[in-house]
Amino acid sequence: MKNTVQVKEIVEPESGKIHRYYYNGKPCKRVMVDTRLSKQLAGYVLIEKDLRSVIVWLKEIDSIRASEPSVSGSVHAINRKTYNVIKGLFVAALTFYGKCFTRCEGRPVKLERKQVEEKYRLKHDQLQNYRNNFAAHSGATDIENVKIAVIIPRLKKGYVHPEIYSELNQPDFFVAKSGEVDFIDVVENMRAVVLKKIQLLNEKIMKEEILPQGLDHWMKK
């Protein structure tokens, strides 16, 4: 479109220089902004990308499960080929969602529980519990467990040597019951919060750090 900045990547064959931003077909000047606010903005952009990835994975689970019987609550299925993939996607979704509320190296911001809308807070707490005791760690709650049992056949005559069996209880994922808030509802709501934060930071950086310096300042960099 004419008179708008276009984003595309073109590499000069000889120099290897990369041009990404164009205005009316001509490369734009690109200056890095390294301030406290710009670092906050970068952090929220990373969080938004994580939440977007979670939404993609949850929708993929729904797509895979479209032909499966409808269930709710904890799910441990017999169709292992399908549900091993679902479990992988679910663990990835839990891990990335939890990461958004955790201080990470190179990411100066994180989401806080108080930012979660009240109607989604109970589900958020459940998701954090799943993340901490199912995806990230193990054994702190009854979300997953192994019980060891001695199995002794009941015989009126004769003797059979007892055997030890390990009884593994590990769900593949959790499905919201009817009327409950779903995982994806919480994620989409938090993504809306982050997108609003990104917009506000963009406006604040432009108003407080870019425009006051003047165009000449940035052109000389």
Side-chain angles (χ1 to χ4, degrees):
M1 295 176 61
K2 193 175 178 62
N3 298 330
T4 59
V5 174
Q6 293 180 310
V7 182
K8 56 183 177 180
E9 190 170 283
I10 297 179
V11 181
E12 292 182 2
E14 294 184 6
S15 66
K17 188 175 181 180
I18 300 175
H19 298 289
R20 291 188 177 90
Y21 305 95
Y22 291 80
Y23 187 83
N24 291 344
K26 296 181 179 180
C28 297
K29 185 176 179 62
R30 174 176 174 266
V31 182
M32 302 303 298
V33 181
D34 186 17
T35 63
R36 180 182 62 85
L37 289 177
S38 69
K39 289 175 182 177
Q40 287 183 14
L41 175 58
Y44 281 112
V45 169
L46 287 170
I47 289 174
E48 190 277 329
K49 178 59 173 70
D50 283 349
L51 293 174
R52 202 158 14 108
S53 294
V54 172
I55 292 170
V56 169
W57 294 329
L58 293 177
K59 287 184 176 180
E60 183 63 21
I61 289 175
D62 286 343
S63 177
I64 294 172
R65 291 189 60 247
S67 59
E68 297 289 326
S70 178
V71 294
S72 63
S74 300
V75 178
H76 182 83
I78 297 174
N79 183 355
R80 296 314 316 151
K81 184 175 181 181
T82 295
Y83 278 85
N84 281 338
V85 173
I86 288 176
K87 180 185 287 186
L89 292 169
F90 184 64
V91 168
L94 284 175
T95 302
F96 269 49
Y97 180 76
K99 185 172 71 167
C100 295
F101 292 83
T102 305
R103 184 77 65 184
C104 302
E105 186 176 351
R107 186 182 295 189
V109 295
K110 65 184 181 74
L111 298 180
E112 303 289 347
R113 183 179 183 272
K114 63 183 180 182
Q115 292 177 280
V116 181
E117 195 173 335
E118 190 171 350
K119 67 179 180 179
Y120 297 118
R121 205 163 285 171
L122 176 61
K123 187 65 176 184
H124 164 80
D125 292 341
Q126 291 175 343
L127 293 171
Q128 291 292 64
N129 185 39
Y130 296 157
R131 182 259 179 189
N132 293 334
N133 298 295
F134 176 60
H137 309 291
S138 177
T141 69
D142 288 334
I143 291 177
E144 62 172 4
N145 62 74
V146 176
K147 294 181 179 179
I148 308 301
V150 176
I151 306 303
I152 307 168
R154 298 178 184 273
L155 299 175
K156 291 183 178 180
K157 294 182 179 181
Y159 174 81
V160 176
H161 198 282
E163 294 190 30
I164 294 179
Y165 281 83
S166 301
E167 300 174 354
L168 171 63
N169 177 28
Q170 185 185 66
D172 293 314
F173 71 112
F174 303 87
V175 181
K177 297 177 183 178
S178 178
E180 280 188 347
V181 172
D182 206 351
F183 189 170
I184 198 167
D185 298 329
V186 183
V187 182
E188 288 179 337
N189 179 257
M190 291 312 302
R191 181 168 177 257
V193 170
V194 173
L195 287 172
K196 185 176 181 180
K197 192 73 174 179
I198 288 172
Q199 181 182 355
L200 290 173
L201 278 169
N202 269 310
E203 293 172 357
K204 189 175 180 67
I205 291 170
M206 181 62 70
K207 181 179 179 180
E208 297 181 9
E209 299 181 342
I210 305 298
L211 294 180
Q213 299 281 2
L215 183 60
D216 290 343
H217 169 82
W218 298 103
M219 289 301 294
K220 290 175 182 177
K221 281 187 170 289

